[in-house]
Amino acid sequence: MLGCLLLVYMHLWQGAAAAPTREGPAKPSVTVSYERQTVREDDAVGVNLWIANDSDRELTDAEVHIAAPDFFEWREGGCEGGRLAGPLRLGTIHARSVVDRRLCLRTNPVIRVGDFNTLFTLSYKWEAGGGRGVHASGRTCRGSSSRRAATGR
């Protein structure tokens, strides 16, 4: 009986030792930084976005989807850049690299007052195994009314 258990254990141990090691799915990180946390009516705030790919895999078809209140408008390339009508397309993110983008958050003449979470979702593919991935990062921004502050209400 002990001999059978020993044989099974040795067989399992050899199988585990012979099994090829496989890197798990790519897990990039998303970091977002607002120049300031409070926005007002007809405001413009610079936003920096960094995506770090710490894996040995190249990420392809990378794009960032931004979910934010409807009175936020996003521009690519700073506040003078073009309006972002859909996802921010990043293309390929090479292994062990960082991609950075400068965005601008512009607000409408009428905004809601309060704290609002903005969700930045990175979607991507990696070639090995045909994998797909998604990573999300949220940031809070406060809407504040200059009219309210001026009237003291």
Side-chain angles (χ1 to χ4, degrees):
M1 175 88 166
L2 182 59
C4 279
L5 288 175
L6 186 59
L7 268 166
V8 169
Y9 175 75
M10 287 178 55
H11 177 70
L12 290 174
W13 181 78
Q14 285 178 343
T21 59
R22 202 177 107 192
E23 184 181 330
K27 295 181 182 174
S29 62
V30 177
T31 304
V32 180
S33 176
Y34 288 84
E35 283 183 353
R36 59 188 152 82
Q37 298 300 318
T38 303
V39 295
R40 297 188 181 277
E41 303 94 341
D42 284 322
D43 204 356
V45 176
V47 177
N48 292 304
L49 172 70
W50 295 277
I51 295 98
N53 178 10
D54 291 334
S55 75
D56 292 325
R57 299 176 184 212
E58 189 172 81
L59 307 179
T60 60
D61 297 331
E63 54 186 31
V64 175
H65 302 263
I66 303 172
D70 58 356
F71 56 87
F72 284 9
E73 177 184 296
W74 295 91
R75 294 182 178 264
E76 183 178 4
C79 292
E80 302 306 317
R83 185 174 182 187
L84 202 58
L88 174 62
R89 300 192 193 292
L90 302 173
T92 299
I93 303 174
H94 299 288
R96 306 266 175 225
S97 70
V98 176
V99 171
D100 63 291
R101 290 293 187 272
R102 178 80 172 155
L103 303 173
C104 179
L105 163 61
R106 296 190 68 103
T107 58
N108 295 335
V110 177
I111 66 170
R112 291 188 304 270
V113 175
D115 292 340
F116 300 95
N117 192 41
T118 305
L119 184 64
F120 296 82
T121 304
L122 171 68
S123 63
Y124 56 91
K125 296 178 190 174
W126 67 87
E127 297 304 320
R132 291 178 167 264
V134 174
H135 180 81
S137 178
R139 286 296 289 179
T140 300
C141 191
R142 176 167 298 206
S144 165
S145 173
S146 58
R147 291 182 203 118
R148 182 177 179 198
T151 61
R153 286 189 254 169

